[in-house]
Each structure stands twice: as structure tokens, then as C-alpha cells.
Amino acid sequence: FAILTKGFNDKLVIDNAILEDVTEAIAIPRVDFENEIEINNLYFVNKELLLKQVKNALINGKNIIFVGPPGTGKSKLAKEICCAYNVDYKMSTATSEWSTYETIGGYHPKKDGTLVFRPGVFLDCFKDKKTNYPINKWLIIDEMNRADIDKAFGALFSALTVDGIDLNFEAESGNKIVLKPQKDELDVLPNDYDYIIPKDWRLIGTMNTMDKASLYELSYAFMRRFAFIPVSVPKQITKEMVEQYLAVWKMEDYFYSEVLAYIWQRINQYRQIGPAIIEDPATTFIVPPG
């Protein structure tokens, strides 16, 4: 390493320009979207169509939002998709208090009283905190439209559509923190101020259609960056269908599948709910036959 001696006390300082010439570039992680999506721990009546919609969206560079009543398996499906593509993921639940402080990041006090930038849930997906190596950790956001979308996510979507944006923060090195999308580069030189959004990075959100009264409206600029995929309640709820779900829940010998089907039917006459909510009484209240 080339080292320059500066200052009267002969303090050694590494010249950044020389350091870049000798530091090894690190590859930006890729995802093979040709992988087949297999879901072994969930049951969906329209499984083939659902997975086809998911795969087409991801291949075409779209992020995904699963929309439907509570209990339809939206969050579990998001996790299964990440596992199918062998990608690490981070999961968070949005709230109405979210701002760029939670999503992008902000200054936090250190023990010595100085301030240091700490990345939020988005930036955590793009860089390893210890090594500054680029990573590609997908983000799952539950109840996404409980947040003020434009306020909380605006900086991220701006960075996705332009060459990058300078955030109003400095890294410990003194450089301005920059959030930018990956372009033609396949690798990057690690540093503490560049956050590269990989081409293969995806955000998967969930939204409960039942919560319309308490949710923020979505802007068109936000909506056009996502594929909205419905995860709905089956139109016809039967004993045989309930038994399919029981098999997934490892409860093939459950005696009251017909009763569960009846309860589910009756509830859905007043308020739509998915099978996951029916799973709770099935697993916690088991009466032996006779």
C-alpha cells in the first residue's frame, strides 16, 4: 500500500486515490430469476396463476405488493418467494409514524457525544455494516400502506429513477452519502458512503384491503413501480378445501374439518378472512371425537 506521510508528527494517512487502485472490487450479488418458485408450506386454490404472476413481475424488474384480506398468507408467501430465489431478506412492518429516518436513516449519538449516520431499513439491504461490501437483501414490508408512502419511501424511488441522489448526511469518512441504482457495473470498491441498489433487488409489500379507512392513499408515481397481485379468499369454501389446508398445517387427522368449513363460511358472510385465521382455532382447540 502506498502511504503518504503528512503533518509534523509524521502521522500516517492512506491516500484515497492510491487506495482505490489497490483495493479489490467486490461483485454486486445477482439473482437467478429463472429459478422455479416452489411453495411447499402454503396452499392456494389458484396457486399456478399466482406464482406465474409473481415470476413475470420479478423478471420484468417490478417490485410486488400482495393485496387481500387478513389471513390469506401474504406475508408467508413473500418469505417463501425469497427462499425460492435463495436470497436473504429483511422484514419490517410499516406504521403511520414512519419517515425517512426509519427507511433511509439518520444521525445517532455515539457514547462520546458525536453523531454518526446509521442506515435505515432500506439502506440496510444494500451494504454490510462491518465490511461495506455490497449485498442484495430483499425487503418485505407488512401493512405497507399504513405508512405515508411518499414521505417514507420517496428518496428510495427517486434514486431508482435517476442516476442517484445525495442524501443530506455524511459518512464517518466525511464524504456525502449517495444512494444510486446499479447500472452497467458488476462490482464496486467498498467504501462507507456509496449505497448501490442492485438491479436484482426487490421489495415485496403486503396490504390488507380491510383497512381502507385507516390507510394512506397511494400516489400514481408509487403505484406504477409495483405489480399489485391479489391474494384472495376462495370463492367456494368446502370441507374438501379445508382438508387441503389441514394437510399443509400437518393436521390431516383433524376430526372437525366440516365444522371449520362452516365457521369460515359464516364469518365470510360478514367479513372476509383468510385460512390463516381459521388455523388458530384448529391448532389451539382440539376436541377428541366421541
Side-chain angles (χ1 to χ4, degrees):
F1 292 93
I3 299 178
L4 302 182
T5 304
K6 294 181 180 181
F8 67 94
N9 60 351
D10 292 331
K11 182 180 179 181
L12 298 180
V13 180
I14 300 177
D15 187 292
N16 286 335
I18 298 175
L19 182 63
E20 289 181 357
D21 290 335
V22 297
T23 302
E24 182 181 356
I26 304 299
I28 299 173
R30 300 294 308 273
V31 177
D32 184 4
F33 288 109
E34 295 304 318
N35 281 1
E36 290 300 321
I37 305 176
E38 294 186 5
I39 298 176
N40 300 316
N41 301 315
L42 294 172
Y43 172 74
F44 296 98
V45 175
N46 59 340
K47 180 177 177 181
E48 276 190 34
L49 175 61
L50 182 61
L51 296 186
K52 185 177 181 180
Q53 289 176 311
V54 168
K55 188 163 187 176
N56 286 343
L58 295 176
I59 287 176
N60 288 296
K62 289 278 190 179
N63 300 298
I64 290 175
I65 292 182
F66 291 122
V67 183
T72 50
K74 300 182 294 295
S75 302
K76 289 182 179 180
L77 176 58
K79 294 178 185 177
E80 290 277 343
I81 290 167
C82 292
C83 293
Y85 284 114
N86 298 313
V87 294
D88 193 10
Y89 64 86
K90 181 183 183 72
M91 191 165 190
S92 191
T93 301
T95 71
S96 58
E97 286 77 34
W98 264 20
S99 67
T100 54
Y101 189 80
E102 286 78 25
T103 58
I104 300 299
Y107 287 125
H108 289 249
K110 297 171 67 175
K111 290 183 179 180
D112 61 4
T114 59
L115 296 176
V116 62
F117 176 78
R118 183 181 297 170
V121 292
F122 283 148
L123 268 59
D124 265 343
C125 295
F126 309 135
K127 181 190 292 190
D128 183 274
K129 290 180 181 178
K130 294 182 179 179
T131 64
N132 288 326
Y133 285 7
I135 61 175
N136 185 1
K137 182 184 292 185
W138 288 13
L139 181 60
I140 301 173
I141 302 183
D142 256 342
E143 314 291 352
M144 193 168 180
N145 50 339
R146 289 185 179 273
D148 185 332
I149 300 295
D150 293 329
K151 180 179 75 174
F153 304 162
L156 174 72
F157 296 128
S158 296
L160 287 170
T161 54
V162 297
D163 290 339
I165 57 172
D166 292 339
L167 303 179
N168 295 319
F169 303 104
E170 288 186 357
E172 289 193 80
S173 63
N175 292 288
K176 274 277 188 183
I177 293 176
V178 178
L179 177 62
K180 55 187 177 182
Q182 177 189 1
K183 291 190 173 181
D184 296 328
E185 66 269 34
L186 300 178
D187 46 41
V188 295
L189 293 168
N191 60 56
D192 67 347
Y193 53 89
D194 282 328
Y195 286 81
I196 310 296
I197 306 171
K199 286 181 180 179
D200 296 341
W201 179 77
R202 298 290 185 269
L203 188 158
I204 305 178
T206 73
M207 292 184 180
N208 278 337
T209 51
M210 193 172 289
D211 297 330
K212 291 178 182 177
S214 61
L215 303 179
Y216 286 91
E217 292 185 2
L218 306 180
S219 67
Y220 174 74
F222 171 84
M223 292 174 66
R224 66 187 177 86
R225 294 182 173 91
F226 284 84
F228 286 76
I229 299 177
V231 184
S232 55
V233 175
K235 293 181 179 179
Q236 297 292 330
I237 299 172
T238 64
K239 173 178 177 289
E240 290 72 26
M241 178 187 297
V242 168
E243 288 171 350
Q244 294 284 348
Y245 286 106
L246 289 169
V248 172
W249 302 334
K250 311 298 183 188
M251 299 179 62
E252 294 93 335
D253 297 330
Y254 190 78
F255 186 73
Y256 297 101
S257 57
E258 190 170 354
V259 175
L260 279 181
Y262 175 77
I263 293 172
W264 192 6
Q265 289 170 0
R266 294 288 291 176
I267 293 174
N268 274 273
Q269 291 177 4
Y270 303 95
R271 182 172 180 172
Q272 281 206 325
I273 60 171
I277 297 177
I278 298 299
E279 180 184 4
D280 292 336
T283 54
T284 59
F285 183 69
I286 301 177
V287 180

